[in-house]
Amino acid sequence: MPNRIVVQKYGGSSVANVERLENVAERICSYSLQGDKVLVIVSAMGDTTDELISLARQINPNPSDREMDMLVSTGEQISSSLLALAIHKRSLEAISFTGSQVGIITDTDHAKAKIITIETKRIKKELNSGKIVIVAGYQGVSINKEITTLGRGGSDLSAVALAVALKADICEIFTDVEGIFTTDPRLVAKAKKIDYITFDEMLELAARGAQVMQTRAVEVAKKYNIPLHVRSSFSKKEGTIIMEKTPNNIEDPVVRGVTLTESEAKITICQVPDFPGFASMVFNKMTQGNVNVDMIVQNMSHDKTTDLSFTVSKDSLSKAVKLSENIAREIKAGEVLFDENIAKVSVVGVGMRSHSGVAAKCFKALADNKINIGMISTSEISISCVVKKNDGKKALRVLHKTFELEKTK
Ligand code: ADP
Ligand code: ASP
Ligand code: MG
């Protein structure tokens, strides 16, 4: 089918060095030569974003959000222009743009800006003139004309949003693994590639820590029903299709995948006077401070006081601890404790909607392996347990085996 609009996103590891960048350029050219209009979204090379963040922190441990966005957005600007040069060398026309240049308009929330609209005029013009268009991922420009970024892993979101805006025929996410696996294949050697997965399951896997796709990108793909093909930039093999309804078996497997995240920390406010409205007070303060809270456990009240524990992202730990200490002082609670040495393992599957017993099986498997559970939370299609950081990888392997995910077809 000539003249398809093909959107392709290449992640950081796919363009980590000159050789890989050239390999990506080859692949892009092969699509263009078969008549496709190709729009490429590219991430920063390798670990560039992390390196830029640590550079900034060396200079100022409390950098301003605006300057951080100015800084980290440059990573994608480098890779996009280099990619255009690699395509020129192959005698095809290509043009690179920043997010701002192509009119990816966002709100003003630096580091996690939301896309409001995308002006497609310039991209369409260049595609129609036969050029390969390359857009720097992860970034936009705010309604106040400031450079913004879309949250870590945000190039996935740039790609999906541009695919929506251009009504693309295909949206491919190229990465360093062959698709979506039953768990992170770098942590569990027996992880199996999944051919098809629903938006709902992918959303839950991503939200629980499977970093292969950014959660917000999957949300947008689901909202606009844009199937995504996640595949390797190192091979020609078919990857995983993420879609609304998968053509798998008549019945879905109960458990589709397991995840591990070490990016959260736990806060406990001790000896809280047990009065109505306390939880609302704590979590309102967290919301006002822009701190996202994940799991919450309030223990039984004894002596008319209770302990309240919750998890937050490690990035916002110091802010969350400060807020908690202020509240504890205000209401005459006890001390505020925090623990960074935790990991969260999660079991995910839409089949859990109609099958009971998954939680019991999960807890028994962890207990049989002497892994203590610190906190538990459940959703309709997932169960998460907080364990000691040292037990995290073992817990992941135990759960993968318990639910026989290595036998996934
Ligand atoms: P990119 O730079 O292409 O955006 P990421 O590093 O963001 O790549 O995501 C790819 C990585 O996600 C893989 O290398 C893999 O280690 C990890 N990963 C975690 N969970 C999964 C999973 N369930 N399936 C595939 N990869 C996963
Ligand atoms: N470079 C950004 C990050 O490392 C965006 C991305 O890779 O998608 O988070
Ligand atoms: Mg990524």
Side-chain angles (χ1 to χ4, degrees), residues 182 194 197-210 253-260 345-353 358 362 379-384 399 403 405:
T182 48
I194 302 166
I197 187 166
T198 61
F199 288 127
D200 284 341
E201 279 171 324
M202 191 62 236
L203 253 183
E204 200 77 15
L205 285 174
R208 309 269 150 202
V254 179
V255 172
R256 170 65 81 192
V258 292
T259 63
L260 168 71
V345 279
S346 306
V347 175
V348 173
V350 285
M352 283 160 70
R353 284 189 181 126
V358 177
C362 164
S379 80
E380 202 191 4
I381 63 167
S382 73
I383 297 159
S384 297
L399 294 176
F403 292 102
L405 294 175

Side-chain angles (χ1 to χ4, degrees), residues 113-131:
K114 288 213 170 59
I115 299 176
I116 298 172
T117 174
I118 297 182
E119 294 158 4
T120 52
K121 219 167 123 195
R122 182 79 196 264
I123 298 181
K124 280 184 181 155
K125 183 178 151 240
E126 302 294 353
L127 284 176
N128 289 336
S129 74
K131 288 195 188 110

Side-chain angles (χ1 to χ4, degrees), residues 22-61:
E22 300 263 17
N23 163 51
V24 164
E26 270 307 310
R27 188 186 295 257
I28 294 169
C29 289
S30 72
Y31 276 70
S32 178
L33 288 169
Q34 74 186 23
D36 291 328
K37 293 180 176 170
V38 193
L39 170 62
V40 176
I41 290 82
V42 68
S43 292
M45 296 170 79
D47 295 327
T48 303
T49 310
D50 289 330
E51 286 160 13
L52 290 171
I53 293 172
S54 97
L55 197 60
R57 294 237 159 95
Q58 281 174 46
I59 289 171
N60 184 339

Side-chain angles (χ1 to χ4, degrees), residues 9 11-13 174-177 179-181 183-186 210-212:
K9 177 256 171 176
S13 44
F174 287 93
T175 185
D176 58 355
V177 285
I180 309 299
F181 284 66
T183 191
D184 189 338
R186 293 186 203 289
Q211 83 170 70
V212 58

